[in-house]
Amino acid sequence: MNYKLDFVRRRKWFYLISGVLLLLGLVSFLLQGLNLGIDFKSGTRVDVRIGHPYDLTEAKKVLTGLGYKDANVRAAGNNKEVLVFRTNEVLSPDKVAKIRTAFQQKYGKQVDIQEQKVDPIIGQELVRNAIISVAIASIGIILYLTIRFEYRFAVSAVVALLHDVLIVIGLFSLFQWEVDLVFVAAILTIVGYSVNDTIVIFDRIRENVELHKPKKFEDLARVVNESIHQTLVRSINTVLTVVFGAATLLLFGGESIFYFSLALLLGLLFGAYSSIFIASQIWLDWKWRSMNRANPASE
């Protein structure tokens, strides 16, 4: 690659981009929270398989006629032939039968219905276990990188990892995409993948620091820039191969794993971004401050 981007000199722009994304996500989370799926709330999800494309407004009137005012509905399926109706009420078999009858009268006998009743305790336990898993993974990453490299690499990697997870959660809040159980699985996958590429870059920085022994900020910046460029092609090729797989899942994986695929794809992209543009810059700023404190004359 002939063009050499100065990652260090532009690091404040990268910090600004990440800061804006994180702030938007935080504001959205505080104002409107997450669009939690039925997995995290008691209630019933009803999938009405109409069998052909339909008008969502007309279909919603069917539910309004049954007493479900302002029904939470959306179209689903490759051809928008499925109506997804969510209610916080646990529907009895009689009520489900009435919904089936009403839609069959409207759209024909081919209409089929599948309902899913969920106890929120399962979802709450999974979220709690996911948070514990992320905490344990973060501690493990810090311990390993501290022993293998140094604590600044460890903390920078975990900060970049949390950056990726928080941005994905923020985007799901901002656009009110549904958060279901498979979303939690996607977040855990992002945690595992995000740190992988960061460690490769950190390992090259460690080798170059030992080789060049930088004393000035310009020397340290040159080491970071060269290390990123030496691993850049590998990083891009690695993430592209995984992104193609996630994009295929998103396009052809079906309704049930759509939000898993979306979260995974976003996490992979932001994981690659933070590995290249954020993690190394955090380490550089921290390392330089430590060098200044140890030897003020180097400034």
Side-chain angles (χ1 to χ4, degrees), residues 52-116:
H52 54 75
Y54 61 91
D55 185 276
L56 186 61
T57 303
E58 290 297 319
K60 192 174 180 178
K61 287 180 181 177
V62 176
L63 292 169
T64 303
L66 293 172
Y68 302 102
K69 296 181 179 179
D70 298 325
N72 183 353
V73 297
R74 62 180 173 85
N78 294 333
N79 297 316
K80 303 297 182 186
E81 77 281 9
V82 179
L83 174 79
V84 178
F85 167 47
R86 283 174 28 190
T87 174
N88 295 333
E89 176 185 357
V90 178
L91 297 178
S92 65
D94 289 342
K95 289 185 176 181
V96 174
K98 287 181 180 178
I99 294 174
R100 177 185 289 106
T101 301
F103 275 95
Q104 287 179 341
Q105 290 175 347
K106 174 74 174 178
Y107 294 105
K109 292 296 183 182
Q110 81 284 352
V111 172
D112 188 24
I113 281 184
Q114 293 180 343
E115 82 268 23
Q116 180 185 10

Side-chain angles (χ1 to χ4, degrees), residues 129-266:
N129 292 338
I131 294 173
I132 294 173
S133 300
V134 172
I136 293 174
S138 299
I139 293 172
I141 291 168
I142 289 175
L143 289 176
Y144 173 75
L145 290 182
T146 300
I147 296 171
R148 184 70 176 81
F149 299 91
E150 64 166 29
Y151 67 95
R152 297 180 194 85
F153 282 127
V155 175
S156 300
V158 171
V159 169
L161 183 155
L162 295 176
H163 159 280
D164 306 335
V165 170
L166 292 177
I167 284 184
V168 173
I169 293 175
L171 289 176
F172 266 71
S173 173
L174 188 64
F175 294 103
Q176 287 294 288
W177 292 323
E178 184 176 309
V179 174
D180 51 18
L181 285 180
V182 292
F183 173 82
V184 178
I187 292 297
L188 293 176
T189 306
I190 293 168
V191 169
Y193 179 83
S194 176
V195 74
N196 179 54
D197 204 30
T198 304
I199 287 178
V200 172
I201 297 174
F202 280 176
D203 191 40
R204 186 57 57 91
I205 291 175
R206 180 183 61 85
E207 292 175 353
N208 286 333
V209 166
E210 292 177 356
L211 180 65
H212 299 289
K213 302 188 183 310
K215 302 296 183 186
K216 299 179 180 179
F217 180 82
E218 290 75 13
D219 299 333
L220 194 61
R222 190 178 304 111
V223 164
V224 170
N225 274 327
E226 288 181 359
S227 300
I228 295 175
H229 280 291
Q230 289 169 2
T231 56
L232 187 59
V233 173
R234 176 204 177 278
S235 298
I236 292 174
N237 288 338
T238 301
V239 74
L240 281 181
T241 55
V242 186
V243 161
F244 286 145
T248 304
L249 276 179
L250 182 68
L251 293 175
F252 305 108
E255 180 72 19
S256 60
I257 61 170
F258 178 81
Y259 291 110
F260 168 82
S261 307
L262 181 60
L264 186 61
L265 182 61
L266 292 172

Side-chain angles (χ1 to χ4, degrees), residues 261-275:
S261 307
L262 181 60
L264 186 61
L265 182 61
L266 292 172
L268 291 171
L269 293 173
F270 281 106
Y273 166 77
S274 68
S275 296

